């Protein structure tokens, strides 16, 4: 069974702080995606990482795929209240997504 | 261009009843996947439909069944509802193409409550 564990499960920080969310698995994935989900909505894709060691930046968000393609991290610099939401990593396995356990981020002004 | 739409948005059923949820994919997409998201957890893959057939299935019992229509829209049926079936049911659409998987676009979900 392919499992993706995210840590931390909950994160509560103030605006301007930096944070890192981790996504770990014992399985290798062909690619890994990060989503953000807000209450009452479906997940929205933020980024897809494909190559081991790959780093992608999306404004204040930096995503890294582990060299062995089993783990990933999401780093947010100078968090804003608009970053609040549920962050989900998902590994792609034969065209279906295996989602992680999720990290709920709350950013206070 | 409408994205993925799902209906209804909310539904309340009692144990033992049956429910049908509906999904219309994003324009141009031909593949529909269904996910179950329990409160506070990540979505779990139920099954995927392509060319009106179930292409892949996750670890869900036969009480969960589906259908895809010629216009690519899809239904998820759950029979003999249990309390544990209470969840947000998400539909995602994508376009299958050779050489790799394409991005999945998610609908807003149907919140099912089983009493």
């Amino acid at each position: 069974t392919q499992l993706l564990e995210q840590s931390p499960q909950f994160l509560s920080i103030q605006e301007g702080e930096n944070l890192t969310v981790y996504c770990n698995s014992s399985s290798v994935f062909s690619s890994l995606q990060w989503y953000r989900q807000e209450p009452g909505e479906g997940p929205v894709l933020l980024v897809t990482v494909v190559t081991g060691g790959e780093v992608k930046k999306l404004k204040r968000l930096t995503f890294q795929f582990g060299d062995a393609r089993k783990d990933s991290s999401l780093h947010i610099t100078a968090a804003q209240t608009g970053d609040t939401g549920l962050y989900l990593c998902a590994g792609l396995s034969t065209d279906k997504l295996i989602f992680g356990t999720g990290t709920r981020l709350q950013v206070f002004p | 261009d409408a994205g993925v739409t799902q209906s209804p948005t909310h539904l309340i059923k009692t144990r033992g009843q049956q429910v049908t949820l509906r999904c219309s994919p994003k324009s141009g997409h031909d593949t529909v996947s269904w996910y179950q998201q329990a409160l506070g957890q990540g979505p779990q893959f139920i099954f995927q439909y392509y060319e009106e057939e179930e292409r892949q299935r996750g670890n869900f019992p036969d009480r969960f069944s589906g259908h895809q229509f010629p216009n690519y829209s899809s239904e998820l049926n759950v029979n003999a509802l249990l309390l544990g079936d209470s969840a947000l049911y998400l539909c995602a659409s994508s376009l299958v193409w050779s050489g790799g998987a394409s991005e999945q676009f998610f609908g807003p979900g149907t919140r099912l409550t089983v009493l």
Side-chain angles (χ1 to χ4, degrees), chain A residues 31-61:
Chain A
S31 64
L32 197 137
Q33 300 180 329
W34 283 91
Y35 290 79
R36 188 173 80 189
Q37 184 179 20
E38 300 190 28
E41 298 180 12
V44 175
L45 180 66
L46 297 174
V47 77
T48 300
V49 284
V50 178
T51 307
E54 182 177 4
V55 176
K56 279 192 175 178
K57 292 192 175 184
L58 186 66
K59 296 183 181 178
R60 294 175 295 101
L61 279 60

Side-chain angles (χ1 to χ4, degrees), chain B residues 15-73:
Chain B
R15 280 179 297 174
Q17 285 189 311
Q18 178 265 342
V19 69
T20 298
L21 310 182
R22 295 176 177 82
C23 171
S24 290
K26 183 177 168 66
S27 178
H29 284 184
D30 57 9
T31 301
V32 172
S33 303
W34 287 92
Y35 295 82
Q36 180 196 66
Q37 186 175 24
L39 200 60
Q41 297 182 20
Q44 299 290 312
F45 176 76
I46 303 175
F47 43 52
Q48 184 181 77
Y49 277 84
Y50 171 67
E51 292 189 338
E52 302 179 48
E53 290 193 359
E54 185 181 289
R55 191 163 165 254
Q56 297 191 73
R57 189 179 183 93
N59 190 24
F60 279 79
D62 292 344
R63 298 187 297 110
F64 289 77
S65 63
H67 190 76
Q68 186 179 33
F69 299 94
N71 67 352
Y72 307 117
S73 67

Side-chain angles (χ1 to χ4, degrees), chain A residues 18-32:
Chain A
N18 301 331
L19 67 115
T20 302
V21 176
Y22 299 93
C23 173
N24 295 291
S25 173
S26 58
S27 303
V28 174
F29 290 98
S30 58
S31 64
L32 197 137

Side-chain angles (χ1 to χ4, degrees), chain B residues 64-108:
Chain B
F64 289 77
S65 63
H67 190 76
Q68 186 179 33
F69 299 94
N71 67 352
Y72 307 117
S73 67
S74 177
E75 288 182 348
L76 163 65
N77 301 292
V78 187
N79 294 323
L81 284 167
L82 303 174
L83 295 179
D85 294 332
S86 295
L88 179 69
Y89 287 86
L90 294 164
C91 168
S93 75
S94 58
L95 179 64
V96 171
W97 52 281
S98 61
S102 62
E103 178 182 350
Q104 295 193 20
F105 289 80
F106 283 83

Side-chain angles (χ1 to χ4, degrees), chain A residues 21-24 32 34 49 63-66 70-74:
Chain A
V21 176
Y22 299 93
C23 173
N24 295 291
L32 197 137
W34 283 91
V49 284
F63 305 86
Q64 183 160 9
F65 201 12
K70 290 183 179 181
D71 56 271
S72 181
S73 64
L74 157 61

